[in-house]
């Protein structure tokens, strides 16, 4: 078997455009997923039984459904009513999926804060909501920042699945290029390298901020 690696430089614009779209979709998805995760993460430990029940149902169902199935359902079922299209269907699908995992990260972060912090805040006359906003959440945020960043890296890799609903990103661009060039090994090898570069670069950035965070706590 002969290889023709010239297909890579000839179509570099396709790879760059796909990589940028992948980062764009992933970034928008995580920006939507974080508020979702915070709301339902707090709901998981809420004293309000209804809110806690709804949050638990959301987290358990979404975590128990494969992302591919969720994307297809949102695009072909929910998307038909809301007119989402493949682009926003992909973003909302990823956001809803990641939101369930972020909710668990937030819940664990809040529960990791010593209970005495809340008790001390309440003894000073703060309401539960004010104590949560000004005392608990800032401390929890420092604990959940590393896993949140890791979730973003996972989202970049998971975004490859949005190609099944025809959302334009790196994987779909690669599929189209393979269909026209018939150079599957070369194309997919380079695509794997691009994903590795994106995720590894972000991992290095995360490690840097984790070290800075640890230094600030000592």
């Amino acid at each position: 078997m002969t290889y023709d690696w010239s297909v890579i430089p000839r179509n570099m614009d396709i790879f760059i455009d796909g990589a940028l779209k992948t980062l764009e979709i992933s970034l928008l998805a995580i920006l939507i997923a974080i508020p979702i995760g915070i709301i339902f993460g707090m709901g998981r430990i809420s004293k309000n039984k209804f809110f806690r029940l709804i949050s638990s149902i959301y987290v358990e169902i979404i975590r128990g459904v494969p992302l591919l199935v969720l994307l297809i359902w949102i695009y072909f079922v929910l998307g038909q009513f809301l007119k989402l299209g493949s682009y926003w269907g992909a973003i909302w699908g990823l956001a809803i999926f990641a939101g369930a995992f972020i909710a668990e990260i937030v819940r664990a972060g809040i529960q990791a804060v010593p209970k005495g912090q809340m008790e001390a805040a309440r003894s000073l006359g703060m309401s539960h909501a004010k104590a949560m906003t000004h005392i608990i959440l800032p401390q929890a945020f420092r604990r959940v920042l590393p896993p949140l960043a890791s979730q973003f890296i996972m989202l970049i890799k998971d975004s490859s699945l949005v190609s099944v609903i025809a959302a334009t990103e790196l994987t779909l661009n690669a599929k189209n290029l393979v269909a026209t060039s018939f150079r599957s090994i070369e194309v997919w090898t380079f695509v794997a390298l691009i994903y590795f570069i994106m995720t590894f670069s972000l991992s290095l950035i995360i490690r840097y901020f984790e070290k800075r965070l640890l230094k600030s706590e000592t």
Side-chain angles (χ1 to χ4, degrees), residues 18 29 82 106 131 133 135 179 199 216:
L82 301 179
V106 170
T133 303
I135 304 297
T199 55
S216 66

Side-chain angles (χ1 to χ4, degrees), residues 14-156:
I14 294 176
F15 293 110
I16 293 175
D17 179 70
L20 291 175
K21 280 292 183 182
T22 291
L23 290 174
E24 178 183 310
I25 289 172
S26 301
L27 181 59
L28 289 173
I30 199 70
L31 289 176
I32 296 173
I34 289 174
I36 293 174
I38 291 174
I39 292 171
F40 286 101
M42 294 178 67
R44 290 274 279 172
I45 56 175
S46 173
K47 293 182 179 179
N48 186 305
K49 292 183 179 180
F50 179 74
F51 188 23
R52 189 168 65 247
L53 176 62
I54 294 299
S55 299
S56 298
I57 290 174
Y58 161 73
V59 170
E60 297 302 331
I61 289 179
I62 298 302
R63 291 180 70 198
V65 174
L67 175 56
L68 182 61
V69 175
L70 181 64
L71 286 168
I72 293 173
W73 188 87
I74 288 177
Y75 179 67
F76 287 104
V77 181
L78 191 61
Q80 300 305 309
F81 295 100
L82 301 179
K83 308 297 181 185
L84 293 175
S86 59
Y87 180 75
W88 283 105
I91 291 172
W92 276 104
L94 290 171
I96 292 171
F97 185 76
F101 291 88
I102 292 175
E104 287 297 275
I105 292 172
V106 170
R107 177 192 61 77
I110 292 174
Q111 290 182 328
V113 178
K115 292 182 179 180
Q117 298 285 331
M118 175 61 78
E119 294 171 358
R122 295 302 299 274
S123 67
L124 292 173
M126 285 188 178
S127 65
H128 185 275
K130 193 171 183 179
M132 182 65 71
T133 303
H134 296 284
I135 304 297
I136 306 301
L137 285 181
Q139 295 184 64
F141 177 75
R142 302 181 72 176
R143 289 175 167 83
V144 304
L145 191 57
L148 277 179
S150 298
Q151 186 64 43
F152 180 51
I153 292 176
M154 292 296 296
L155 203 60
I156 290 175

Side-chain angles (χ1 to χ4, degrees), residues 160-192:
S160 61
L161 293 174
V162 304
S163 61
V164 300
I165 59 173
T168 303
E169 43 75 62
L170 182 57
T171 300
L172 183 63
N173 282 7
K175 285 181 179 179
N176 294 337
L177 182 57
V178 168
T180 56
S181 67
F182 303 104
R183 291 294 172 181
S184 58
I185 294 178
E186 294 90 332
V187 170
W188 289 119
T189 300
F190 191 64
V191 166

Side-chain angles (χ1 to χ4, degrees), residues 13 100 114 137 155 193 212:
D13 58 327
L137 285 181
L155 203 60
L193 179 62
R212 292 288 299 272

